[in-house]
Amino acid sequence: MHTEAHIKMVADTLLPGFLPKDPNEKNLVFHFTLPPNENYKVSYLKTAKNEWVFSSSEKVDR
């Protein structure tokens, strides 16, 4: 299993590809896979300054 810091780093790198088109969205959730075969769901929250901040992650089975 990967560390929370590693998951956050990967999620932050992928974040621009998942940003919602609706500027009113306040929550964002997406999934990704880390080798060899670990799937994660991450959540972000939008701050009052319109910045997306990592909120949580969880390992998911597919």
Side-chain angles (χ1 to χ4, degrees):
M1 190 157 159
H2 298 276
T3 66
E4 184 82 6
H6 185 212
I7 295 165
K8 180 186 179 304
M9 180 190 68
V10 172
D12 286 346
T13 301
L14 296 172
L15 178 63
F18 290 96
L19 293 176
K21 295 187 186 329
D22 183 353
N24 296 316
E25 285 289 332
K26 301 292 183 203
N27 299 306
L28 172 62
V29 175
F30 63 90
H31 294 79
F32 62 92
T33 302
L34 289 175
N37 192 22
E38 293 183 355
N39 302 299
Y40 294 94
K41 177 173 88 171
V42 294
S43 301
Y44 282 80
L45 299 173
K46 192 184 238 184
T47 67
K49 295 180 180 181
N50 288 325
E51 297 171 342
W52 290 100
V53 177
F54 183 84
S55 173
S56 67
S57 70
E58 67 180 90
K59 187 174 179 184
V60 293
D61 295 323
R62 292 210 177 212

